[in-house]
Structures are given as structure tokens and as C-alpha cells.
Amino acid sequence: MKLTGYEQDILDGKYGEGMAYALGIQVAIGNAFDADCFVPITRTHVALSAQDADLWFAEKLLSKGAKCKIPPTVNPSINLKYLNDHLFEIPEEGVNIVSATNEAYRKLGAQLTFNCTPYLQQNVPAYGEVIAFSESSATPYVNSVIGARTNREGSNSALCAAVTGMVPRYGLLLDENRKAEIEVDVQAKIESDFDYQILGWCYPEKYKGLEIPIFRGIKKRPTPEGFMNFGAQLNTSGCVSMYHIEGITPEAPTFEAAVGNKKIKEVITITEQDLADTRQRLCREPKKIDFAMFGCPHITINQVATIARVCEGRKFKVPVWLLVSSLTKELAVRMGYNAIIQRAGGHIVSDTCIDVPPCWQPYYHGVGVTDSPKCAYYNEIRDIEFIIRPIEEAVEAAIIGEVLK
Ligand code: F3S
């Protein structure tokens, strides 16, 4: 990579050991991807996970005196107080690692948002903005729906970018790498937000390559929740950091504009039958459930309102957890949804992820219902079986303690 005098000074330690360490890692990444130079960034989001490697790296940067130049928003972890009061006594080891991680990020200068949908609130980029975002639903959303530019950062590389305020220029930062090479002919009706969960899971099952797809045949603009679901599943079932939808996403006003000088390498057709097959395989057979979980990624106030509408004046038979940002929790309190859901026996909890051990330990080896394939997939390692249904059906299941169909 070609470095400026300023960048070389950073590497030589003129701006401190922490900056030098972070930039050294980024130079190695840049060289691995044939980047030519560094470019400045304006935003960062770090997929904090409060697990050993995450804490080790944050503390390492801290011990070298690093400080974030561009304060990143961060992913959720565990709301220790809420879960301790309402679920179980979090073991000391869990309390220690979460507290130490939060403290390390706070000292590094991160914004402790603890939310995995920063692109909807708190850290929303504009079209064309060059940024460094990690987190599976965030990368496709900012690239595809907004037209901002980020590579598929890991939490460590995004944290380095936050410290240095720049990223190596390669991949999705370059015009030519944002063009579509796979045409996806959607011959099925995609209408609800849940349809995007299924389509997002189905496409990588049919095509495993890393090229950017353009989806054709989608008539109506997805809601923010539909886009959020779509990106989360595309980047969990597969590795899709950016996609286009013809006539809908900003870099695909037409098919030709989205393809540019590239050539379409393959045409993938997705039929109603493909989606029905994915749905059947993925969503599992009806059975009794031990709990319900929504919020992977964190659900929006609209989704909280949907859940409140279905459960108003009724009682849940099993514990129900809604995971949200602290901003959404505050809104839910103000708008009365929190009271409705609490009266039904459910919980709205902020700052918490479905995937940070040990917070969901009481449900290990149990059966849950969720609307999110990502939630189901991540919890397989803890032997939690999730039945997947659209939100309204999942709420109905929680009211009777069983998924009926
Ligand atoms: Fe968010 Fe954690 Fe799921 S970060 S997307 S709740 S795995």
C-alpha cells in the first residue's frame, strides 16, 4: 500500500503505540486485499460480543493507549441488571466479562449504544458515505439500502478503523466492485416482512458465490423491517455484504445501471416452490414451546406495536422476550406497549443479544419460537431448538404455549 507521510508517522509511533498497532493491522489487511491506499471514514460500528477474544483485543488496544477517533456505536451484550432481576442470577464469570468489556469500550471512547441495528437509529449514514461497519445485518443494509460504502468488517478491524479514522481502500469501497454479477429472477410473491426472512435464507442455499446479486421481480419496496430481515438472513445463511433490488435500491435504478461494465455470470431463479421448500426445512414442525424470543436483529417500535396488538388483554403461557435498543425501549414505555406486554407476562429488554453466553442459560436444551432464522441458527450450538414463524403467529403460540401449525 502507498502510505502518506502522516500514515507512516502513525506506523512509526509518532501518534502513540495504540494508533500504530491499529494501523499496522489495517496495513496487513490492506495488503492482503491489494488495497492501494487509505481513505478517511466518517462512521464506525463495532460488533462487540463480550466474549474472550473481543475483550482481549479491546484491552490490548487500551493498554497501548488507543482512543477512538471516530467513536463507534456497538452491538448488544447482556443487560445484567434486567436479566438478573427477571431471569436468573448471572454467574460471576458472566458478570465479570460483560462488565470488563463494557468498561474497555467505554475507555476506548465507544458510544455504548448496545444495539445491532445502528443503521435505523443512532448511527445512520448517508448515500456515498465511506464507513466501517461490522455486524451481519448492518453491512448489507448500509451498502444496499442506503448506498453508503463499507467492507464486511470484523469487530476487530472496525475497532481499528475507529481508532485510526481510516480504512484501506478495496472491495466495496470501489465503484467496480459494487456492480451485480448474479441475476436473481424472483418468480414468487414477496409481500410480508417474513417473506424476506425466507427469501434471504433461500438465495444463498441456491448460490454460494460472493458476487453481488441483483434481485428482479420484486414489485413493492420492502419496509425497513423487511430490508433488515433480508440482509440479516442473506448474511447468515450466506455471505452477502451487498445486493441490489432492481428499481428499488439506490444503485439499481435500472438493471443496466446495477450491472454496469460487469457481465452476468449466472441467472438464479427462485420460485414459490423454492421458498416453500426453504420454509418447510427451516421453520420446523409444530410442537410445545418453553419460551418465545424476538429481536435478532433488535426489533423496531413497529414490531413491538404488532406484538402489543396481538397480546393486549391476554396472558402468555410461556416467557416472552423482546430484545430492543434502549431508544426503542424508552419509546415502548412512552407509548404504553411496554405496559401491555408486561401485563401479558412478557419482557422488553434493551442492550441484550440472543448470542452472548451465559444470559439465556435457563433455556439451554429447550424449545423456543421466534420469527428469526438467524436467532434459530446461532442457538443451535446451545441445543436450543427454535421453531420459526411470522411474528403474529409466534405471539399466538406464546399465548397457548404451543405452535399449532
Ligand atoms: Fe443482534 Fe445478537 Fe442477533 S447482535 S442480530 S441479537 S446475534
Side-chain angles (χ1 to χ4, degrees), residues 180-238:
E181 292 180 282
I182 304 299
E183 180 180 340
V184 190
D185 183 12
V186 182
Q187 296 180 2
K189 264 202 218 130
I190 305 294
E191 285 171 342
S192 70
D193 295 340
F194 189 71
D195 291 340
Y196 283 97
Q197 308 269 42
I198 304 300
L199 180 64
W201 198 270
C202 176
Y203 166 69
E205 288 186 328
K206 297 202 78 169
Y207 188 79
K208 300 263 174 263
L210 298 177
E211 300 91 338
I212 294 181
I214 175 161
F215 291 83
R216 311 189 78 178
I218 294 178
K219 307 268 182 283
K220 211 175 96 197
R221 184 179 175 83
T223 62
E225 291 79 7
F227 275 128
M228 175 174 93
N229 292 347
F230 195 34
Q233 308 318 329
L234 283 170
N235 216 5
T236 300
S237 164

XYZ file of all heavy atoms in Angstrom, residues 180-238:
475
model
N -23.502 -5.669 -10.000
C -24.094 -7.015 -9.893
C -23.510 -7.969 -10.924
O -23.244 -7.581 -12.063
C -25.602 -6.912 -10.088
N -23.286 -9.206 -10.494
C -22.832 -10.242 -11.423
C -23.749 -11.462 -11.431
O -23.593 -12.351 -12.246
C -21.407 -10.683 -11.063
C -20.365 -9.595 -11.309
C -18.980 -10.064 -10.942
O -18.670 -10.095 -9.739
O -18.206 -10.408 -11.849
N -24.668 -11.505 -10.476
C -25.612 -12.627 -10.426
C -27.025 -12.052 -10.544
O -27.397 -11.144 -9.789
C -25.491 -13.403 -9.085
C -24.055 -13.884 -8.868
C -26.474 -14.581 -9.049
C -23.511 -14.827 -9.923
N -27.770 -12.559 -11.509
C -29.156 -12.105 -11.692
C -30.073 -13.089 -10.975
O -29.983 -14.306 -11.205
C -29.465 -12.078 -13.204
C -30.861 -11.615 -13.509
C -31.126 -11.594 -15.026
O -30.151 -11.560 -15.829
O -32.311 -11.642 -15.399
N -30.912 -12.562 -10.106
C -31.826 -13.447 -9.369
C -33.253 -13.122 -9.805
O -33.770 -12.035 -9.532
C -31.686 -13.265 -7.837
C -32.458 -14.360 -7.105
C -30.217 -13.279 -7.414
N -33.838 -14.068 -10.490
C -35.172 -13.882 -11.031
C -36.178 -14.406 -9.999
O -36.332 -15.620 -9.831
C -35.251 -14.677 -12.355
C -36.581 -14.490 -13.038
O -37.347 -13.595 -12.629
O -36.857 -15.261 -13.983
N -36.812 -13.484 -9.290
C -37.743 -13.904 -8.225
C -39.131 -14.103 -8.840
O -39.838 -13.151 -9.148
C -37.780 -12.856 -7.083
C -38.716 -13.322 -5.962
C -36.380 -12.603 -6.529
N -39.493 -15.361 -9.009
C -40.808 -15.689 -9.595
C -41.759 -16.093 -8.477
O -42.345 -17.174 -8.495
C -40.655 -16.822 -10.604
C -39.796 -16.420 -11.789
C -39.647 -17.542 -12.804
O -40.209 -18.625 -12.657
N -38.871 -17.296 -13.843
N -41.820 -15.265 -7.467
C -42.673 -15.578 -6.318
C -43.138 -14.262 -5.726
O -42.465 -13.243 -5.880
C -41.870 -16.356 -5.281
N -44.287 -14.303 -5.055
C -44.797 -13.075 -4.424
C -44.061 -12.850 -3.117
O -44.072 -13.703 -2.236
C -46.290 -13.244 -4.128
C -47.159 -12.670 -5.201
C -48.541 -12.385 -4.637
C -49.563 -12.713 -5.699
N -50.646 -13.555 -5.284
N -43.404 -11.675 -3.012
C -42.701 -11.338 -1.775
C -43.427 -10.135 -1.198
O -43.301 -9.023 -1.714
C -41.215 -10.987 -2.059
C -40.530 -12.113 -2.822
C -40.457 -10.670 -0.771
C -40.382 -13.411 -2.058
N -44.194 -10.356 -0.154
C -45.021 -9.267 0.343
C -44.744 -8.890 1.789
O -44.523 -7.729 2.103
C -46.500 -9.632 0.163
C -46.883 -9.505 -1.314
C -48.246 -10.037 -1.629
O -48.788 -10.813 -0.829
O -48.751 -9.660 -2.707
N -44.725 -9.881 2.660
C -44.599 -9.546 4.094
C -43.135 -9.452 4.512
O -42.237 -9.930 3.809
C -45.289 -10.623 4.938
O -44.530 -11.820 4.866
N -42.916 -8.874 5.695
C -41.549 -8.825 6.245
C -41.009 -10.237 6.437
O -39.808 -10.476 6.282
C -41.544 -8.095 7.607
C -41.935 -6.623 7.465
O -41.826 -6.090 6.344
O -42.359 -6.033 8.469
N -41.895 -11.156 6.781
C -41.449 -12.539 6.999
C -41.010 -13.193 5.682
O -40.080 -14.005 5.669
C -42.568 -13.358 7.656
C -42.108 -14.719 8.107
C -41.250 -14.848 9.191
C -42.517 -15.865 7.457
C -40.809 -16.095 9.615
C -42.075 -17.118 7.874
C -41.218 -17.237 8.955
N -41.654 -12.798 4.571
C -41.228 -13.343 3.263
C -39.750 -13.033 3.012
O -39.041 -13.815 2.385
C -42.061 -12.744 2.115
C -43.504 -13.223 2.131
O -43.770 -14.261 2.750
O -44.356 -12.533 1.529
N -39.289 -11.881 3.516
C -37.872 -11.524 3.313
C -36.934 -12.383 4.169
O -35.781 -12.583 3.808
C -37.654 -10.020 3.568
C -38.135 -9.215 2.393
C -39.395 -8.648 2.390
C -37.353 -9.097 1.254
C -39.868 -7.956 1.288
C -37.814 -8.409 0.142
C -39.071 -7.845 0.161
O -39.530 -7.174 -0.941
N -37.433 -12.871 5.313
C -36.610 -13.816 6.088
C -36.363 -15.066 5.234
O -35.248 -15.594 5.175
C -37.334 -14.274 7.379
C -37.871 -13.179 8.284
C -36.867 -12.734 9.342
O -35.695 -12.576 9.046
N -37.346 -12.478 10.546
N -37.415 -15.513 4.579
C -37.323 -16.783 3.828
C -36.515 -16.582 2.546
O -35.634 -17.390 2.219
C -38.749 -17.319 3.510
C -39.570 -17.473 4.807
C -38.682 -18.645 2.750
C -38.981 -18.419 5.826
N -36.800 -15.492 1.831
C -36.034 -15.218 0.596
C -34.550 -15.032 0.930
O -33.672 -15.531 0.209
C -36.590 -13.969 -0.097
C -35.896 -13.566 -1.402
C -36.081 -14.642 -2.481
C -36.416 -12.218 -1.914
N -34.280 -14.326 2.031
C -32.889 -14.079 2.437
C -32.159 -15.358 2.797
O -30.955 -15.484 2.578
N -32.875 -16.317 3.340
C -32.239 -17.599 3.676
C -32.100 -18.475 2.432
O -31.134 -19.208 2.252
C -33.066 -18.335 4.748
C -32.254 -19.405 5.414
C -32.147 -20.716 5.030
C -31.402 -19.256 6.556
N -31.285 -21.386 5.862
C -30.809 -20.504 6.815
C -31.073 -18.182 7.391
C -29.913 -20.721 7.867
C -30.188 -18.403 8.439
C -29.619 -19.647 8.651
N -33.092 -18.361 1.545
C -33.158 -19.248 0.367
C -32.055 -18.948 -0.656
O -31.417 -19.873 -1.173
C -34.539 -19.082 -0.281
S -34.764 -20.015 -1.796
N -31.809 -17.657 -0.949
C -30.878 -17.338 -2.045
C -29.494 -17.980 -1.851
O -28.989 -18.647 -2.762
C -30.775 -15.812 -2.242
C -29.590 -15.442 -3.113
C -29.578 -15.764 -4.476
C -28.455 -14.837 -2.562
C -28.465 -15.481 -5.268
C -27.349 -14.542 -3.342
C -27.357 -14.872 -4.689
O -26.258 -14.610 -5.472
N -28.846 -17.825 -0.674
C -27.520 -18.450 -0.535
C -27.570 -19.984 -0.575
O -26.551 -20.626 -0.807
C -27.037 -17.962 0.841
C -27.825 -16.730 1.125
C -29.167 -17.009 0.523
N -28.734 -20.556 -0.342
C -28.825 -22.021 -0.497
C -28.724 -22.405 -1.968
O -28.292 -23.485 -2.320
C -30.158 -22.533 0.056
C -30.236 -22.502 1.578
C -31.502 -23.151 2.104
O -32.545 -23.071 1.411
O -31.452 -23.729 3.206
N -29.145 -21.473 -2.839
C -29.111 -21.771 -4.282
C -27.828 -21.309 -4.945
O -27.444 -21.804 -5.990
C -30.309 -21.108 -4.983
C -31.639 -21.645 -4.504
C -32.743 -21.412 -5.497
C -32.688 -22.392 -6.631
N -33.846 -22.401 -7.489
N -27.177 -20.294 -4.356
C -25.931 -19.797 -4.954
C -24.959 -19.409 -3.843
O -25.255 -18.536 -3.027
C -26.196 -18.587 -5.865
C -24.935 -18.213 -6.614
C -24.532 -18.942 -7.733
C -24.123 -17.163 -6.182
C -23.340 -18.636 -8.399
C -22.937 -16.852 -6.848
C -22.561 -17.591 -7.949
O -21.389 -17.298 -8.607
N -23.809 -20.037 -3.855
C -22.875 -19.852 -2.730
C -21.802 -18.772 -2.976
O -21.075 -18.408 -2.058
C -22.123 -21.156 -2.432
C -23.007 -22.311 -2.065
C -23.099 -22.458 -0.548
C -24.090 -23.518 -0.147
N -25.406 -23.023 0.205
N -21.681 -18.289 -4.201
C -20.580 -17.372 -4.533
C -20.692 -16.032 -3.824
O -21.715 -15.682 -3.248
N -19.594 -15.272 -3.880
C -19.537 -13.982 -3.180
C -19.927 -12.802 -4.077
O -19.950 -11.661 -3.620
C -18.113 -13.746 -2.658
C -17.600 -14.760 -1.631
C -16.157 -14.465 -1.252
C -18.485 -14.761 -0.395
N -20.223 -13.065 -5.353
C -20.558 -11.957 -6.256
C -21.846 -11.260 -5.803
O -22.679 -11.855 -5.133
C -20.765 -12.470 -7.694
C -19.556 -13.150 -8.293
C -19.549 -14.646 -8.043
O -20.211 -15.108 -7.100
O -18.874 -15.355 -8.808
N -21.985 -10.017 -6.228
C -23.165 -9.243 -5.811
C -24.377 -9.628 -6.664
O -24.300 -9.626 -7.891
C -22.866 -7.737 -5.931
C -21.785 -7.419 -4.900
C -24.111 -6.891 -5.723
C -21.368 -6.015 -4.841
N -25.490 -9.965 -5.992
C -26.701 -10.311 -6.751
C -27.596 -9.104 -7.011
O -27.608 -8.152 -6.226
C -27.407 -11.296 -5.813
C -26.980 -10.900 -4.430
C -25.621 -10.235 -4.551
N -28.324 -9.168 -8.105
C -29.429 -8.214 -8.298
C -30.733 -9.001 -8.344
O -30.874 -9.935 -9.134
C -29.269 -7.321 -9.545
C -30.535 -6.458 -9.715
C -28.966 -8.097 -10.827
C -30.364 -5.243 -10.575
N -31.641 -8.654 -7.467
C -32.937 -9.328 -7.395
C -33.907 -8.607 -8.325
O -34.058 -7.386 -8.247
C -33.461 -9.340 -5.957
C -32.643 -10.234 -5.050
C -31.470 -9.765 -4.469
C -33.018 -11.549 -4.822
C -30.700 -10.590 -3.659
C -32.243 -12.379 -4.010
C -31.084 -11.896 -3.427
N -34.542 -9.369 -9.182
C -35.522 -8.813 -10.118
C -36.884 -9.421 -9.808
O -36.972 -10.519 -9.273
C -35.131 -9.156 -11.567
C -33.689 -8.849 -11.884
C -33.398 -8.986 -13.360
N -33.878 -7.830 -14.096
C -33.721 -7.676 -15.414
N -33.109 -8.634 -16.124
N -34.164 -6.587 -16.021
N -37.942 -8.693 -10.137
C -39.282 -9.247 -9.956
C -39.924 -8.860 -8.628
O -41.048 -9.264 -8.345
N -39.220 -8.097 -7.809
C -39.832 -7.619 -6.552
C -40.523 -6.295 -6.871
O -39.888 -5.342 -7.314
C -38.768 -7.464 -5.448
C -38.222 -8.849 -5.081
C -39.339 -6.741 -4.227
C -37.128 -8.862 -4.043
N -41.836 -6.290 -6.671
C -42.621 -5.149 -7.164
C -42.712 -4.002 -6.157
O -42.764 -2.842 -6.529
C -44.057 -5.605 -7.482
C -44.117 -6.809 -8.427
C -44.228 -6.337 -9.876
C -44.328 -7.487 -10.856
N -43.066 -8.168 -11.139
N -42.776 -4.375 -4.882
C -43.046 -3.345 -3.864
C -41.819 -3.114 -3.006
O -41.127 -4.072 -2.655
C -44.196 -3.870 -2.978
C -45.077 -2.803 -2.404
C -46.250 -3.416 -1.659
C -45.927 -3.485 -0.181
N -46.736 -4.349 0.607
N -41.573 -1.872 -2.648
C -40.433 -1.563 -1.783
C -40.627 -2.236 -0.418
O -41.681 -2.065 0.212
C -40.342 -0.042 -1.609
C -39.130 0.398 -0.813
C -39.039 1.908 -0.654
N -37.925 2.213 0.216
C -36.656 2.284 -0.193
N -36.374 2.117 -1.466
N -35.690 2.513 0.658
N -39.627 -2.973 0.055
C -39.754 -3.569 1.403
C -39.826 -2.475 2.468
O -39.331 -1.367 2.251
C -38.447 -4.365 1.566
C -37.855 -4.486 0.205
C -38.371 -3.340 -0.608
N -40.411 -2.804 3.597
C -40.387 -1.891 4.747
C -38.970 -1.908 5.327
O -38.173 -2.803 5.002
C -41.350 -2.394 5.844
O -40.871 -3.676 6.280
C -42.778 -2.537 5.326
N -38.639 -0.969 6.221
C -37.317 -1.058 6.883
C -37.118 -2.415 7.552
O -36.019 -2.969 7.536
C -37.368 0.076 7.914
C -38.338 1.064 7.337
C -39.372 0.250 6.614
N -38.195 -2.967 8.126
C -38.077 -4.271 8.790
C -37.844 -5.378 7.762
O -37.095 -6.328 8.012
C -39.355 -4.578 9.602
C -39.548 -3.695 10.826
C -40.104 -2.296 10.524
O -40.476 -2.023 9.356
O -40.164 -1.466 11.455
N -38.484 -5.244 6.591
C -38.265 -6.235 5.521
C -36.817 -6.205 5.058
O -36.159 -7.245 4.918
N -36.290 -5.011 4.837
C -34.871 -4.870 4.450
C -33.959 -5.434 5.542
O -32.950 -6.075 5.252
C -34.532 -3.393 4.246
C -34.840 -2.846 2.880
C -35.608 -1.692 2.733
C -34.318 -3.447 1.734
C -35.860 -1.160 1.471
C -34.562 -2.909 0.477
C -35.332 -1.766 0.348
N -34.297 -5.141 6.778
C -33.465 -5.606 7.904
C -33.451 -7.142 7.925
O -32.378 -7.763 8.024
C -34.065 -5.054 9.206
C -33.436 -5.510 10.473
S -34.181 -4.621 11.869
C -35.483 -5.758 12.351
N -34.625 -7.745 7.791
C -34.713 -9.211 7.773
C -33.923 -9.793 6.604
O -33.208 -10.786 6.742
C -36.175 -9.659 7.622
C -37.015 -9.342 8.850
O -36.475 -9.014 9.903
N -38.326 -9.442 8.723
N -34.093 -9.171 5.454
C -33.470 -9.684 4.227
C -31.940 -9.740 4.377
O -31.307 -10.775 4.173
C -33.859 -8.759 3.069
C -33.614 -9.323 1.701
C -33.752 -10.677 1.442
C -33.275 -8.479 0.639
C -33.536 -11.189 0.162
C -33.066 -8.970 -0.633
C -33.192 -10.327 -0.875
N -31.352 -8.609 4.793
C -29.890 -8.547 4.933
C -29.383 -9.492 6.016
O -28.358 -10.161 5.842
N -30.119 -9.561 7.130
C -29.677 -10.427 8.243
C -29.593 -11.875 7.775
O -28.630 -12.586 8.082
C -30.636 -10.310 9.422
N -30.575 -12.316 7.011
C -30.584 -13.735 6.601
C -29.610 -13.980 5.443
O -28.930 -15.012 5.420
C -32.003 -14.198 6.239
C -33.058 -13.917 7.296
C -32.630 -14.189 8.726
O -31.821 -15.081 9.006
N -33.144 -13.403 9.667
N -29.531 -13.051 4.493
C -28.566 -13.224 3.388
C -27.149 -13.368 3.920
O -26.336 -14.122 3.394
C -28.598 -11.996 2.459
C -29.755 -11.866 1.482
C -29.739 -10.471 0.847
C -29.699 -12.929 0.399
N -26.867 -12.636 4.992
C -25.504 -12.604 5.522
C -25.322 -13.589 6.679
O -24.304 -13.561 7.350
C -25.173 -11.171 5.971
C -23.721 -10.807 5.706
O -22.964 -11.567 5.112
N -23.328 -9.646 6.176
N -26.328 -14.433 6.912
C -26.184 -15.514 7.907
C -26.195 -16.855 7.185
O -25.287 -17.675 7.347
C -27.332 -15.475 8.942
O -27.308 -14.209 9.608
C -27.190 -16.590 9.969
N -27.200 -17.031 6.341
C -27.251 -18.258 5.527
C -26.095 -18.247 4.521
O -25.561 -19.294 4.160
C -28.602 -18.295 4.806
O -28.628 -19.186 3.756
N -25.689 -17.064 4.100
C -24.589 -16.916 3.155
C -23.672 -15.791 3.575
O -23.576 -15.465 4.765
